[in-house]
Amino acid sequence: EAGVTQFPSHSVIEKGQTVTLRCDPISGHDNLYWYRRVMGKEIKFLLHFVKESKQDESGMPNNRFLAERTGGTYSTLKVQPAELEDSGVYFCASSQVEGDPYNEQFFGPGTRLTVL
Amino acid sequence: DQQVKQNSPSLSVQEGRISILNCDYTNSMFDYFLWYKKYPAEGPTFLISISSIKDKNEDGRFTVFLNKSAKHLSLHIVPSQPGDSAVYFCAAKGTYKYIFGTGTRLKVLA
């Protein structure tokens, strides 16, 4: 079974540009999460989808960040316009069953974003 | 304000000895805790978890201890192996999301 995949693995952009990160969760997983780790700090929650609906977006830093999960499969996270402080590693995770918060979350390898 | 704290950024241990990684939390409402391991250029992978109704959970070489009164948990690895060298993250479960600490980099010396 394929794990969580993320694309691209690395992205280097200039301040003010737009970047879109993609996450493909494990097939059949209803829950999809985005997290971010800024260098040396904690892995911080951004938002949670249940199927195509945003369940919790309390961790989104500001309105420059837009996440979508059309059709309840893959998800995209767009940063527009990117700022220097957006640099970090963006992780996507998925877990299986809607309504069971104790399901283990499986993480993707992350996208390293560098904003110059 | 960080709700989950790992105050040791790094730890070095000799192969075969015990590794003890510590984690403190502030919110007494947390009822489920996890440890994840992360190798470079990979995502975190689940290692072991513990519910607040227990004070110990064991899985092979890995044991997690929970002290609710002190709001403290620890991960013990015995015996430590070079392949255990990684960054270890402690996490508490919110409603659905995980609240992570900053991680401890463990280096097991051969």
Side-chain angles (χ1 to χ4, degrees), chain A residues 20-23 32 34 47 49 60 66-70 74-78:
Chain A
T20 300
L21 315 181
R22 174 174 169 140
C23 168
L32 187 149
W34 284 98
L47 89 159
F49 283 99
M60 294 288 262
L66 175 65
E68 292 180 324
R69 192 183 183 195
T70 309
Y74 72 91
S75 174
T76 58
L77 179 65
K78 183 194 281 190

Side-chain angles (χ1 to χ4, degrees), chain A residues 33 35 37 41-43 45 48 58 91 99 101-105 107-109, chain B residues 2 31-32 36 38 41-44 46 89 93 95-98 100-102:
Chain A
Y33 308 82
Y35 291 86
R37 188 182 191 210
K41 302 209 169 175
E42 74 270 29
I43 300 172
F45 168 80
H48 169 213
S58 61
F91 293 104
Y102 292 95
N103 267 205
E104 174 193 339
Q105 292 183 21
F107 281 76
Chain B
Q2 268 195 276
D31 64 356
Y32 193 73
Y36 272 74
K38 185 185 176 308
E42 294 183 12
F46 171 76
F89 290 94
K93 193 190 71 59
T95 309
Y96 278 86
K97 67 188 180 189
Y98 291 167
F100 284 93
T102 51

Side-chain angles (χ1 to χ4, degrees), chain B:
Chain B
D1 186 34
Q2 268 195 276
Q3 298 187 73
V4 176
K5 298 177 186 177
Q6 294 177 258
N7 292 318
S8 298
S10 63
L11 175 68
S12 289
V13 169
Q14 283 294 131
E15 181 179 5
R17 306 293 289 264
I18 184 170
S19 296
I20 300 176
L21 295 93
N22 293 303
C23 177
D24 296 291
Y25 60 96
T26 57
N27 189 340
S28 57
M29 298 297 290
F30 289 148
D31 64 356
Y32 193 73
F33 302 89
L34 310 96
W35 285 92
Y36 272 74
K37 180 164 97 169
K38 185 185 176 308
Y39 292 118
E42 294 183 12
T45 54
F46 171 76
L47 191 57
I48 192 168
S49 62
I50 188 165
S51 164
S52 61
I53 62 172
K54 293 184 165 184
D55 54 19
K56 177 182 171 181
N57 189 26
E58 200 168 349
D59 183 1
R61 296 185 297 112
F62 302 91
T63 303
V64 56
F65 295 92
L66 176 61
N67 181 335
K68 288 187 290 292
S69 60
K71 296 196 191 72
H72 177 83
L73 62 156
S74 61
L75 174 68
H76 292 211
I77 306 173
V78 182
S80 301
Q81 297 173 353
D84 296 329
S85 297
V87 178
Y88 290 78
F89 290 94
C90 170
K93 193 190 71 59
T95 309
Y96 278 86
K97 67 188 180 189
Y98 291 167
I99 300 154
F100 284 93
T102 51
T104 295
R105 182 178 301 278
L106 174 66
K107 190 170 184 179
V108 180
L109 307 168

Side-chain angles (χ1 to χ4, degrees), chain A residues 71-106:
Chain A
T73 54
Y74 72 91
S75 174
T76 58
L77 179 65
K78 183 194 281 190
V79 185
Q80 178 182 32
E83 297 289 344
L84 299 179
E85 65 264 25
D86 301 333
S87 296
V89 182
Y90 289 77
F91 293 104
C92 176
S94 71
S95 67
Q96 196 165 8
V97 178
E98 180 182 1
D100 184 351
Y102 292 95
N103 267 205
E104 174 193 339
Q105 292 183 21
F106 294 85

